[in-house]
Amino acid sequence: MDVIETNLVVIGSGPAGYAAAFRAQDLGVQTILIEKYSQLGGVCLNVGCIPSKALLSLAEKSHDAMSLSQSGMTFSEPTVDAVATLAMKNEVVAKLSGGLNMLASKRRVQTIQGVAAFTGSHELHVKGESGDQIIQFKHAIIATGSEPNRLPFLPEDDRIFDSTGALELRDVEGHLVIIGGGIIGCEMATIYQAMGAKVTVLEIAPTIMMGADPAQAKVCQQAMERKGIEFQLGVNIQGVEAEEDQIRIDLGEEEVICDQVLYSVGRKPNGLEINADAAGVGVDDRGFVPVDEYMRTNQEHIYAVGDVALTPFDNQMLAHRSTAHGHLAAEIIAGHNIRYDIRAIPSVAYTDPEVAWVGISMQEAKDKGCQIGKFPWMASGRSLATGQGIGETQVYADPETERILGASIVGRHAGEIIGVFCLAIEMGATLTDLALTVMPHPTLVETTSLACEQALGSITDL
């Protein structure tokens, strides 16, 4: 069995893992990157963020083409070639994954495919197709990510799948029921409806997209309903029965009969899969690895980043959060005197319209007595000129200092626009700072400064 010595070993090549490995190698730390799958990139690149956005882009374009009839331009109903669509999605993934391989090679980061498990506080065993290896390390970063939760009452059946299975586009016809109305569930509903499926979303909560502003989530829900997506909120699923030619979902007083079921009910961390006990690393019952503001576990030379890390400062399982974690851990291992100091992590639902938010929520803003600014996109020249009109930009600021503490946006490209508020929060910008920033006109991004003007009472566009 080969024995390899290294300064740093990173377990997992998702946004947290490859960011950590590449940054550490750039800083002169000899690094080995271990990935259990055949391609680098983790869930986000291979079966998550990237492939879903490729399909969501097609859904958006299809809807836009059909809606142009209101402006005098008519297209025939689209036909879907699922095989060609799948090939397009896979090509996008392959390009990005290949790019990661190139970047790893350019940096001289050694990559090993295999399943890693700790055998001691400074040792890993890697089981791969080409044989077993022992890696002895000075530092380690756990970046094993997360996987979809599976409801215990779901039977094993090819017609019942998670978001990874949904991206395979095995069957885009018939009636699809999505269990879970969070970001992933709503995005998948958008994709499958555009490809021709009848879609019903079942959600136990009274609103979709928990974490988003409820009023803005409602705007998105209503837009999705106009496209034909059905929502049943506040439902409690009693059981699911897979029959030969259909699937029955028991809701107590009624049942839903469908052809396929996609379950999207959150994710669970993969901290229990690496034999962390052998290294003395603490892992809780859920699979989270607790860390401090330096991303260190209870073992000072071992770090955890991304979805698997349980931090005292953020808790969203998001790719951009993971990348920030990876950079931080790498820089600390390289000897930099830094710690976690990020003020806000944005969230985005890439539906149509998109919903994006950062910082405190509307309810928190009300509780704190914040200054609140709202700008409706019905008053946005750019929004109306592009045939949209649906949308709103909100901003929340400290009542004494005017410092921006949060924001929420619903509308086309909200995920791009929210970056203005992310920067404002990090820089400690005030409502006046942003209101006096001259934005290009006509654009959607100018709604950020207009919302600040509305909060200050200086707006002339309303």
Side-chain angles (χ1 to χ4, degrees):
M1 190 180 299
D2 293 338
V3 178
I4 305 173
E5 294 184 358
T6 187
N7 194 328
L8 169 64
V9 63
V10 180
I11 311 169
S13 72
Y18 78 73
F22 292 178
R23 183 64 178 136
Q25 192 78 28
D26 287 348
L27 294 172
V29 180
Q30 179 196 12
T31 303
I32 292 176
L33 179 61
I34 301 173
E35 172 55 54
K36 65 180 179 180
Y37 296 114
S38 59
Q39 297 186 106
L40 299 182
V43 168
C44 177
L45 193 157
N46 292 292
V47 292
C49 318
I50 300 303
S52 65
K53 302 313 167 282
L55 296 176
L56 284 163
S57 175
L58 292 182
E60 180 182 293
K61 291 172 182 175
S62 173
H63 175 258
D64 284 351
M66 292 301 97
S67 64
L68 282 176
S69 61
Q70 302 171 13
S71 304
M73 188 177 293
T74 303
F75 294 87
S76 60
E77 286 289 330
T79 58
V80 177
D81 182 342
V83 174
T85 300
L86 185 63
M88 177 279 300
K89 183 263 293 183
N90 290 340
E91 183 180 358
V92 171
V93 171
K95 284 181 180 179
L96 289 171
S97 182
L100 286 183
N101 287 325
M102 180 191 68
L103 291 173
S105 177
K106 176 183 176 181
R107 287 178 162 83
R108 294 185 173 88
V109 172
Q110 182 179 353
T111 60
I112 297 176
Q113 183 185 352
V115 177
F118 286 102
T119 54
S121 61
H122 288 272
E123 188 176 88
L124 278 173
H125 173 241
V126 181
K127 184 177 181 61
E129 291 184 2
S130 58
D132 292 3
Q133 294 173 306
I134 294 294
I135 298 178
Q136 296 175 346
F137 57 85
K138 293 181 180 178
H139 305 277
I141 296 178
I142 302 168
T144 49
S146 62
E147 62 184 33
N149 285 322
R150 184 180 176 91
L151 296 169
F153 54 76
L154 290 175
E156 292 291 338
D157 191 286
D158 289 343
R159 296 166 296 172
I160 300 174
F161 44 81
D162 58 20
S163 57
T164 299
L167 290 170
E168 295 176 5
L169 303 179
R170 289 189 293 254
D171 186 358
V172 295
E173 299 178 350
H175 185 191
L176 171 69
V177 168
I178 298 176
I179 300 176
I183 289 177
I184 295 174
C186 288
E187 289 181 353
M188 290 299 170
T190 300
I191 291 169
Y192 270 76
Q193 185 278 328
M195 298 192 73
K198 175 185 177 182
V199 180
T200 300
V201 179
L202 305 179
E203 170 57 52
I204 191 171
T207 182
I208 64 170
M209 297 181 194
M210 295 298 291
D213 175 59
Q216 293 195 339
K218 185 67 174 179
V219 171
C220 179
Q221 177 185 331
Q222 291 171 339
M224 294 173 71
E225 287 173 337
R226 286 193 289 272
K227 295 183 180 73
I229 298 171
E230 179 188 358
F231 288 87
Q232 293 189 36
L233 307 180
V235 298
N236 190 5
I237 299 174
Q238 305 295 313
V240 176
E241 182 179 353
E243 300 177 352
E244 184 177 352
D245 58 348
Q246 62 187 11
I247 299 174
R248 295 181 180 271
I249 302 176
D250 182 6
L251 301 180
E253 296 182 356
E254 61 176 310
E255 68 176 6
V256 177
I257 298 175
C258 63
D259 301 299
Q260 300 183 94
V261 173
L262 189 169
Y263 57 92
S264 177
V265 287
R267 302 183 64 84
K268 60 180 180 180
N270 292 327
L272 297 172
E273 300 180 358
I274 52 174
N275 196 31
D277 288 347
V281 173
V283 182
D284 71 15
D285 293 339
R286 298 168 296 173
F288 282 109
V289 180
V291 297
D292 61 15
E293 66 269 31
Y294 303 97
M295 310 310 300
R296 293 179 305 206
T297 68
N298 59 312
Q299 301 295 317
E300 288 198 356
H301 66 293
I302 300 178
Y303 299 71
V305 294
D307 287 1
V308 76
L310 180 62
T311 75
F313 34 78
D314 60 21
N315 57 15
Q316 305 104 309
M317 289 184 173
L318 297 167
H320 40 284
R321 166 188 181 259
S322 298
T323 298
H325 285 183
H327 286 163
L328 178 66
E331 290 170 9
I332 291 171
I333 290 170
H336 291 199
N337 184 22
I338 57 173
R339 61 180 174 81
Y340 190 92
D341 187 26
I342 295 173
R343 296 187 178 185
I345 301 288
S347 295
V348 182
Y350 295 91
T351 46
D352 187 14
E354 294 179 358
V355 185
W357 61 96
V358 66
I360 67 171
S361 67
M362 169 66 88
Q363 188 57 54
E364 289 173 309
K366 290 179 178 178
D367 294 342
K368 292 176 180 289
C370 288
Q371 290 176 272
I372 297 175
K374 299 182 181 182
F375 187 81
W377 287 19
M378 282 298 294
S380 163
R382 176 68 171 181
S383 182
L384 292 175
T386 53
Q388 300 302 314
I390 299 174
E392 180 186 58
T393 300
Q394 298 179 165
V395 62
Y396 324 124
D398 184 277
E400 297 180 1
T401 66
E402 286 187 6
R403 283 195 172 185
I404 295 172
L405 302 178
S408 183
I409 307 172
V410 59
R412 182 66 65 88
H413 306 308
E416 307 290 343
I417 305 166
I418 199 69
V420 172
F421 290 119
C422 296
L423 179 61
I425 293 172
E426 288 295 334
M427 298 296 292
T430 66
L431 291 172
T432 299
D433 290 330
L434 198 48
L436 295 180
T437 300
V438 179
M439 299 285 185
H441 173 81
T443 60
L444 296 176
V445 74
E446 67 181 328
T447 65
T448 59
S449 59
L450 291 168
C452 292
E453 287 184 12
Q454 199 275 332
L456 294 168
S458 60
I459 194 167
T460 56
D461 286 71
L462 288 178

